[in-house]
Amino acid sequence: GDWGFADGANEAARFSQVGGLAVSAQGTVYLTDNGSLRRITRDGSVTTVARDIVSPRTGGLPGDFGLFNHSQGVAVASLNGQWNVFIVDHYNQRIVRWNDREGASTLHNSSNWLSRLTDGGLGWFIRGVAVDGNDVYVLEAFTSPRFLSALVGSPRIRRILPDGRVTSLGANDKR
């Protein structure tokens, strides 16, 4: 189809910068498109459910996702009877959680002083998100020259528990 950004049924819908997608158990597709969250139902209807939910900026060093779309991961899970969509906001170094009832909120933020100082050039960046039961898993990598990554450990997997506590899995987290 043609490039663009338009809601509609089947071929009438247009997409521009799709960064990631996930499918619910009911067959509903959620995707990020140019900073917005969009939903595709089983009948092919496309609806924008939240605009500007993630940053349209990219950031990062060239060759390290710096030239690609900023939202690189999406996961969908039913928590407490409500469908939740978890989105990687690469530039802002966070996971955004969205649902119909509460809208958007930041679930996890990996930003630190180094990333703020370098306007996102260096620091921990979120590369992926997954959900198992009520636990959210986040893949982070330290974007920097290799010698610095060796000092801080990279990549690392973080587990976010329902009570908000964050733990690390594996041995690559030297922080």
Side-chain angles (χ1 to χ4, degrees), residues 30-44:
Y30 291 91
L31 59 91
T32 57
D33 186 2
N34 199 29
S36 296
L37 178 63
R38 302 179 77 190
R39 176 173 39 211
I40 306 171
T41 57
R42 285 174 109 37
D43 68 2

Side-chain angles (χ1 to χ4, degrees), residues 124-164:
W124 288 103
F125 282 88
I126 299 174
R127 301 292 196 221
V129 62
V131 181
D132 181 38
N134 289 324
D135 297 342
V136 178
Y137 294 85
V138 178
L139 173 63
E140 296 177 330
F142 195 84
T143 303
S144 69
R146 289 193 188 272
F147 74 91
L148 190 52
S149 292
L151 294 174
V152 297
S154 184
R156 68 182 182 187
I157 299 171
R158 312 284 271 173
R159 179 177 167 196
I160 305 168
L161 302 171
D163 64 7

Side-chain angles (χ1 to χ4, degrees), residues 30 37 39 49-50 53 77-85 97-105 134:
Y30 291 91
L37 178 63
R39 176 173 39 211
V49 295
I53 195 167
S78 179
L79 305 175
N80 301 320
Q82 176 74 31
W83 283 105
N84 288 265
V85 182
R97 177 176 53 198
W98 178 89
N99 64 48
D100 282 323
R101 188 176 7 193
E102 300 165 0
S105 62
N134 289 324

